[in-house]
Amino acid sequence: MATWKDVHEAAPGFAARVRKIFDAHKHKTIATLRADGSPRISGIEAEFADGELTFGSMPGARKGADLRRDPRFALHSASVDPPQDDPAGWPGDAKISGRAVGTGELSGETPGDAFRAEIEEVVCTGLNEAGDRLVIEFWRPGAGLRRVERT
């Protein structure tokens, strides 16, 4: 498992692109696992701070209960359509998966549970410069950064 700092140190350009995509919009989507093993998706806010990816869950929220029971998660940035007149101008989207580690209570006005991410994979999907091929970059601890292009 890795922290966001580990991702940034191993692949700084890639980490900067991923963070820019995540930071472009306040709301993200997180997938957690219900008690019966089926997936649940929920809206969430996340933050990169002090080398960590952190997020929270309001009191009584099902996503917090899911993460306390089974810490596996997948976090997806907001996704927008590529501009029709400039497909290569699409910023793409980003995903981070791993395990949530409880860090105590949320600080601030809203109560709840705070979590930090232990990262297993980071993925950034976009288009090539011509806008005619899908480009998927992914980073995993110990495996480094890889890139795949698809038509």
Side-chain angles (χ1 to χ4, degrees):
M1 298 280 182
T3 64
W4 182 251
K5 180 181 178 185
D6 297 327
V7 178
H8 187 267
E9 288 176 352
F14 172 73
R17 286 193 307 280
V18 168
R19 183 167 176 176
K20 182 177 180 181
I21 292 168
F22 269 103
D23 287 347
H25 301 278
K26 182 176 184 175
H27 297 107
K28 289 82 171 130
T29 303
I30 191 167
T32 59
L33 295 170
R34 299 172 190 253
D36 68 2
S38 63
R40 179 192 319 270
I41 59 171
S42 307
I44 198 166
E45 296 174 22
E47 179 179 307
F48 298 91
D50 300 322
E52 299 282 0
L53 169 61
T54 61
F55 44 88
S57 177
M58 295 182 348
R62 299 310 315 149
K63 67 185 156 207
D66 290 346
L67 292 170
R68 286 188 300 276
R69 186 187 56 263
D70 184 331
R72 294 176 290 173
F73 75 91
L75 182 69
H76 193 281
S77 67
S79 189
V80 296
D81 292 336
Q84 288 196 4
D85 59 338
D86 180 24
W90 179 49
D93 64 18
K95 298 173 268 301
I96 299 173
S97 61
R99 296 182 184 273
V101 176
T103 59
E105 294 290 315
L106 285 172
S107 60
E109 294 178 21
T110 306
D113 299 317
F115 297 92
R116 69 173 175 80
E118 288 187 343
I119 298 170
E120 292 180 357
E121 183 178 62
V122 181
V123 179
C124 186
T125 304
L127 296 173
N128 66 359
E129 288 184 22
D132 60 359
R133 295 183 69 118
L134 191 63
V135 176
I136 304 150
E137 294 177 283
F138 55 98
W139 181 91
R140 293 182 184 130
L145 182 62
R146 297 190 180 164
R147 177 185 168 108
V148 175
E149 287 194 30
R150 296 188 178 155
T151 55

